[in-house]
């Protein structure tokens, strides 16, 4: 590896061998005036990584280095960068670029920019394919690079970059806070963040899960009550209750959606951030009629929301539940295989990048 011309990362070369990682070199995009080079210290392991490397979300450019929950140190900043200086600890999430000129970008909705570029597996205008954070370095535009408050540990900041923002943004946009009853459905990597944020924002929080063994954790994270969907007629006592259900589950295609929708208050919303490989279950238009409810979804969040989220996490000392693994061929394999079968409480962070990349600058 010869930085800055090439980076090195743990990549997969075949979606049929989706957990066989090899350390390979790759060329980053050309460095520009608002770019920042980051020497990576930690990277969270996201469900998106697994959906990508298995081909569950469709074809991907190979070889690919996934990972979009990146924390590291800025080692080079472009001439026009004003928000980060060399030596700063910074994070990068699931988006690495946008046009920053369209009406979406100019209204703090750059996460919906038609020209937005994902942190890995997406083409830049020059044809370079973006590569993610299971790597020695990452090159990111400053608008998508975020200073990390000092009191948030690196291994905990990492999953905030995607899982954190993906759950925080829709809660804020739904005005979660005092007087609102918010249900978090699916208590995993996303869902446990949902409980933390909704509670920190002042809402009355309920956890919904098919796993009774999640009850203790859900209550400790800030849920007022735990609702188990394997109980007979579980939804009946909760009819017309919730202003907003944040669906963090990855198995929505197996749900009886009318049951969940029946628990919404009038004009309440069933909002999806879990994105399974399978289509949503069949529902009828009239299923929305009894309470005038709606179904929606969202994609990560905006820069102002990321900054607001990190400030809240810092001020309220919010700590996600994470497990760490050393980054290596073996560590990456173990992480993605366990995430695939939900064998993690509740998020993995890959660490010890200096050991994996001893020759990097």
């Amino acid at each position: 590896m010869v930085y800055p011309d090439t980076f090195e990362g743990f990549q997969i070369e075949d979606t049929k061998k989706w957990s066989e990682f090899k350390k390979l070199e790759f060329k980053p995009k050309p460095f520009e005036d608002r770019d920042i080079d980051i020497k990576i210290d930690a990277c969270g392991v996201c469900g998106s990584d697994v959906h990508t490397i298995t081909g569950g979300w469709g074809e991907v450019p190979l070889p690919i280095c996934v990972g979009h929950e990146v924390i590291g140190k800025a080692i080079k900043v472009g001439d026009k960068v004003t928000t980060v200086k060399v030596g700063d600890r910074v994070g990068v999430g699931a988006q690495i670029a946008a046009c920053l000129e369209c009406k979406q970008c100019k209204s703090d909705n750059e996460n919906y920019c038609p020209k937005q570029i994902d942190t890995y597996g997406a083409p830049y205008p020059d044809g370079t394919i973006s590569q993610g954070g299971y790597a020695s370095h990452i090159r990111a535009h400053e608008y998508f690079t975020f200073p990390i408050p000092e009191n948030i540990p690196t291994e905990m900041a990492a999953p905030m970059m995607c899982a954190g923002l993906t759950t925080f943004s829709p809660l804020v946009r739904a005005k979660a806070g005092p007087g609102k009853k918010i249900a978090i459905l699916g208590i995993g990597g996303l869902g446990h963040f949902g409980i933390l944020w909704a509670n920190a924002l002042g809402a009355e929080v309920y956890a919904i899960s098919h796993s009774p063994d999640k009850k203790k954790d859900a209550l400790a994270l800030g849920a007022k009550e735990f609702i188990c969907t394997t109980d007979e007629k579980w939804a009946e006592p909760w009819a017309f209750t919730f202003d907003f259900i944040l669906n963090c589950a990855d198995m929505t295609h197996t749900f009886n959606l009318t049951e969940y929708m029946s628990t919404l208050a009038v004009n309440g919303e069933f909002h999806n951030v879990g994105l399974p490989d399978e289509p949503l279950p069949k529902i009828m238009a009239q299923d929305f009629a009894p309470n005038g409810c709606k179904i929606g979804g969202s994609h990560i969040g905006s820069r102002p929301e990321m900054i607001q989220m990190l400030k809240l996490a810092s001020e309220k000392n919010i700590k996600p539940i994470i497990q760490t693994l050393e980054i290596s061929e073996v560590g990456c394999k173990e992480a993605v295989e366990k995430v695939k079968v939900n064998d993690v409480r509740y998020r993995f962070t890959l660490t010890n990048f200096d050991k994996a990349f001893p020759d990097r600058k």
Side-chain angles (χ1 to χ4, degrees), residues 73-137:
K73 182 180 293 186
I75 58 171
K76 179 181 178 182
V77 301
D79 292 341
K80 293 184 179 178
V81 171
T82 61
T83 57
V84 172
K85 64 183 185 300
V86 170
D88 285 352
R89 186 174 61 133
V90 294
V92 174
Q95 182 177 359
I96 207 157
C99 77
L100 302 181
E101 295 176 354
C102 67
K103 66 178 182 180
Q104 285 75 233
C105 288
K106 290 187 178 298
S107 62
D108 291 333
N109 287 300
E110 70 278 357
N111 45 313
Y112 299 107
C113 174
K115 296 181 180 179
Q116 74 100 25
I117 298 174
D118 294 332
T119 296
Y120 56 75
Y124 281 99
D126 74 335
T128 303
I129 301 299
S130 60
Q131 301 290 352
Y134 295 9
S136 59
H137 304 80

Side-chain angles (χ1 to χ4, degrees), residues 132-210:
Y134 295 9
S136 59
H137 304 80
I138 194 165
R139 180 166 292 165
H141 189 285
E142 74 164 320
Y143 198 79
F144 301 95
T145 304
F146 306 95
I148 304 300
E150 287 185 9
N151 65 329
I152 303 178
T154 290
E155 67 274 12
M156 293 185 178
M160 292 182 187
M161 295 296 101
C162 178
L165 183 62
T166 294
T167 48
F168 184 79
S169 172
L171 288 168
V172 169
R173 295 190 187 206
K175 297 180 170 54
K180 289 290 184 77
K181 292 185 177 180
I182 305 292
I184 308 299
L185 169 56
I187 314 305
L190 289 172
H192 99 288
F193 267 115
I195 296 173
L196 286 168
W197 300 140
N199 183 58
L201 290 166
E204 191 172 290
V205 188
Y206 297 78
I208 304 178
S209 174
H210 73 285

Side-chain angles (χ1 to χ4, degrees), residues 304-349:
E305 288 165 343
M306 179 76 88
I307 292 168
Q308 180 186 356
M309 178 197 76
L310 290 169
K311 184 172 184 287
L312 181 71
S314 174
E315 290 176 349
K316 299 215 168 187
N317 198 30
I318 291 171
K319 288 185 166 32
I321 301 173
I322 59 111
Q323 297 172 249
T324 60
L325 289 168
E326 285 194 8
I327 189 167
S328 64
E329 286 91 346
V330 172
C332 292
K333 178 181 176 67
E334 180 180 351
V336 298
E337 288 182 349
K338 286 189 171 182
V339 169
K340 182 78 163 63
V341 296
N342 295 315
D343 183 17
V344 55
R345 291 285 176 98
Y346 284 95
R347 210 74 180 178
F348 280 124
T349 300

